[in-house]
Amino acid sequence: MSSPALMLDMVSYAYGQVQAVAELSLNVAPGEVVCLLGPSGCGKSTVLRLAAGLEEVQAGRVFINGQLVGAPNHHVPPESRNVGLVFQDFALFPHLSVCDNVGFGLRPADAARRRERIMAALGDVGLAHLDQSFPHMLSGGEQQRAALARALAPEPKLVLLDEPFSGLDTRLREQVRDVTVEALRKSGTATLMVTHDAEEAMFMADRIAVMREGRIVQEGTPIDLYRRPASLFVAAFFGEVNRLAGTVKNGEVSTRFGRVPAPFADGSEAEVVIRPEAILVDLDGKGVATVPGRVVSVHPLGRSTRLVLALEDGTRMKARIWGLHHPAAGASVGIGIDPRQAFVFPAD
């Protein structure tokens, strides 16, 4: 069995009195794309810097392809780790052409082989026609792709991406993301990516590790984390949620929408968490969503519509319905939930 492309073993790092990373362990297999997902300040970029060798490990160990590259009193510098790096600001050299930027990290080789490798990397990201352009002549998306080509050109075993799409507008971000995923899959390079965008992580990753306060709080495939969040923090990080408080009795929490199983001790306080798409809205009074309510506001989003609903006691609920047909603001509706998408956690 081959070694992980990257293995972090009980790694810790502190900036002075601030513990940025605490006993974190994570593996990235060859060819796998793993995303570190979490809010600003949770330590995810520090993990990336430790993997790259930009910070020295204070506790724990870092292995790349089975070789120890980081530990207390043992530090292999970034240039000796055979790792490709792509940062938020792309870090292209303004005085070099795209071709020369991409070739910058290549080891000396004959001119023909060097040119072949550069153009192959540029071709993988759709920039072969801009090889003689300079960074200031490129759009933001083209600069990002050039930075990716530079990272892939030396054919590293591991690529590290630090919020690579954060500087792009929404439309361009989607386009560049598509190109990036395709290029990474084609190269077969293991990838560790840092992002605070849950949708981006779900799109890019084979596996996601959610971080909070320097630790991984849940790890799994995108669909596992979305369907089976281990905590209220993880559930809420993947999008807005509705929260209903209740008390556990006989292994259930009673809500105005019915009872929801709760694997906690009787008498303990709990919260039922429901995603907006799991809110059922009965527009004609003939469905199963029978709790009466009214529509407070309607926000069409194209392929879906976001509704703010009010129950008779004033409780507000957020719902997302698909398609073009939706009730008008002020309309009376029936409201229910899909119990298969209701999660119960101890009260926060």
Side-chain angles (χ1 to χ4, degrees):
M1 185 175 178
S2 61
S3 300
L6 172 67
M7 183 171 76
L8 304 169
D9 178 31
M10 297 293 287
V11 171
S12 296
Y13 190 88
Y15 296 98
Q17 299 300 310
V18 178
Q19 191 70 45
V21 180
E23 299 182 339
L24 182 143
S25 295
L26 179 70
N27 290 350
V28 182
E32 185 182 30
V33 178
V34 174
C35 280
L36 279 176
L37 173 67
S40 298
C42 73
K44 56 189 185 296
S45 289
T46 300
V47 173
L48 205 76
R49 293 178 64 82
L50 290 167
L54 299 173
E55 303 286 357
E56 295 190 18
V57 174
Q58 296 171 348
R61 300 178 299 170
V62 177
F63 295 85
I64 293 179
N65 296 308
Q67 300 298 311
L68 180 66
V69 296
N73 304 315
H74 181 86
H75 179 72
V76 176
E79 63 271 18
S80 300
R81 295 193 179 194
N82 190 26
V83 169
L85 301 173
V86 181
F87 296 103
Q88 297 179 42
D89 59 4
F90 315 138
L92 297 173
F93 298 111
H95 62 290
L96 297 181
S97 68
V98 169
C99 179
D100 289 339
N101 262 285
V102 173
F104 185 82
L106 293 176
R107 293 184 174 87
D110 66 87
R113 168 60 183 152
R114 181 184 179 85
R115 175 70 177 176
E116 177 186 346
R117 186 66 212 124
I118 291 170
M119 295 310 295
L122 286 172
D124 287 344
V125 299
L127 290 183
H129 62 296
L130 295 176
D131 64 315
Q132 296 306 310
S133 300
F134 285 82
H136 72 275
M137 303 165 65
L138 306 182
S139 68
E142 289 166 344
Q143 290 182 31
Q144 196 277 346
R145 286 186 280 156
L148 178 63
R150 183 178 62 185
L152 293 175
E155 301 179 287
K157 298 296 185 182
L158 175 67
V159 170
L160 304 174
L161 308 177
D162 188 7
E163 302 272 11
F165 313 118
S166 62
L168 307 177
D169 63 60
T170 302
R171 189 78 173 268
L172 186 58
R173 187 182 307 139
E174 293 176 356
Q175 296 172 357
V176 176
R177 234 165 34 186
D178 287 343
V179 173
T180 300
V181 168
E182 186 174 341
L184 291 172
R185 299 295 185 201
K186 182 177 180 180
S187 72
T189 304
T191 303
L192 179 63
M193 174 178 155
V194 159
T195 181
H196 63 272
D197 186 326
E199 181 179 309
E200 189 167 276
M202 294 187 75
F203 180 88
M204 294 285 296
D206 298 307
R207 191 158 45 89
I208 298 172
V210 181
M211 285 191 66
R212 185 182 191 184
E213 298 178 351
R215 301 179 185 274
I216 292 175
V217 294
Q218 190 174 356
E219 184 181 335
T221 66
I223 197 66
D224 280 343
L225 267 62
Y226 193 82
R227 289 183 174 177
R228 289 176 284 277
S231 66
L232 176 57
F233 174 81
V234 173
F237 208 84
F238 282 85
E240 62 181 350
V241 294
N242 298 286
R243 298 166 63 170
L244 300 173
T247 303
V248 179
K249 183 178 180 180
N250 298 325
E252 297 178 319
V253 176
S254 179
T255 76
R256 52 184 58 83
F257 301 104
R259 296 184 177 277
V260 180
F264 309 120
D266 279 9
S268 58
E269 298 301 313
E271 282 196 274
V272 180
V273 174
I274 309 146
R275 300 194 188 281
E277 61 267 30
I279 299 295
L280 309 177
V281 182
D282 180 7
L283 307 182
D284 56 14
K286 299 178 181 178
V288 296
T290 56
V291 176
R294 64 181 177 84
V295 179
V296 176
S297 60
V298 179
H299 305 277
L301 302 173
R303 57 190 173 187
S304 67
T305 299
R306 181 182 183 274
L307 304 176
V308 177
L309 310 169
L311 305 183
E312 289 183 324
D313 64 0
T315 300
R316 297 291 179 98
M317 307 287 289
K318 292 160 287 189
R320 184 182 292 266
I321 60 176
W322 304 98
L324 300 177
H325 301 290
H326 54 76
S332 295
V333 293
I335 305 170
I337 66 170
D338 178 354
R340 297 169 300 178
Q341 299 185 66
F343 314 112
V344 184
F345 304 111
D348 189 355

